[in-house]
Amino acid sequence: YLLSMAVAYFSRAGLFCWQYRRIHFFIALYLANDMEEDNQAPKQAIFSFLYGKSRFQRPLFHKLRYQFIRSMRWRTRVSREECEEIQAYDPDLWVWGRDRALIP
């Protein structure tokens, strides 16, 4: 559901497709993790993937996250029904079809 939440966030932010950058995906994924998961590890993994061990860019990331949330008019909650509707656009997409039982 986290990836479908990211899609919902893109829609709510109202940016044109050419305005999106790679960082927007990671901001949306970070926000989805923040909203749905109690585990900090996935959010730290996003930072590690983006910046390695450097903590220098984290304040900028959080500033961009704040701006992204504001552009969505603070609507960060995505219902299960919304996620399922997003997934229903292409139900055979490989992202939606992975077997969660295989995840340790």
Side-chain angles (χ1 to χ4, degrees), residues 54-69:
S54 173
R55 295 181 180 264
F56 180 72
Q57 294 290 336
R58 289 185 185 196
L60 177 59
F61 180 90
H62 287 298
K63 180 180 178 182
L64 293 171
R65 182 177 61 95
Y66 176 76
Q67 291 172 347
F68 191 73
I69 293 169

Side-chain angles (χ1 to χ4, degrees), residues 62-79:
H62 287 298
K63 180 180 178 182
L64 293 171
R65 182 177 61 95
Y66 176 76
Q67 291 172 347
F68 191 73
I69 293 169
R70 273 194 358 209
S71 73
M72 294 189 306
R73 287 179 248 127
W74 304 97
R75 296 177 304 153
T76 57
R77 186 184 179 286
V78 181
S79 70

Side-chain angles (χ1 to χ4, degrees), residues 5 14 19 23 32-34 40 65-66 72 92 100-101:
M5 287 176 71
Q19 292 175 301
I23 192 67
N33 267 286
D34 207 19
Q40 292 293 315
R65 182 177 61 95
Y66 176 76
M72 294 189 306
D92 297 326
R100 294 184 173 273

Side-chain angles (χ1 to χ4, degrees), residues 1-2 7 9-10 15 18 21 23 27 56-57 66 69 72 80 92:
Y1 286 107
L2 297 178
V7 171
Y9 291 155
F10 288 151
L15 297 174
W18 53 268
R21 302 286 179 256
I23 192 67
I27 289 170
F56 180 72
Q57 294 290 336
Y66 176 76
I69 293 169
M72 294 189 306
R80 183 182 190 128
D92 297 326

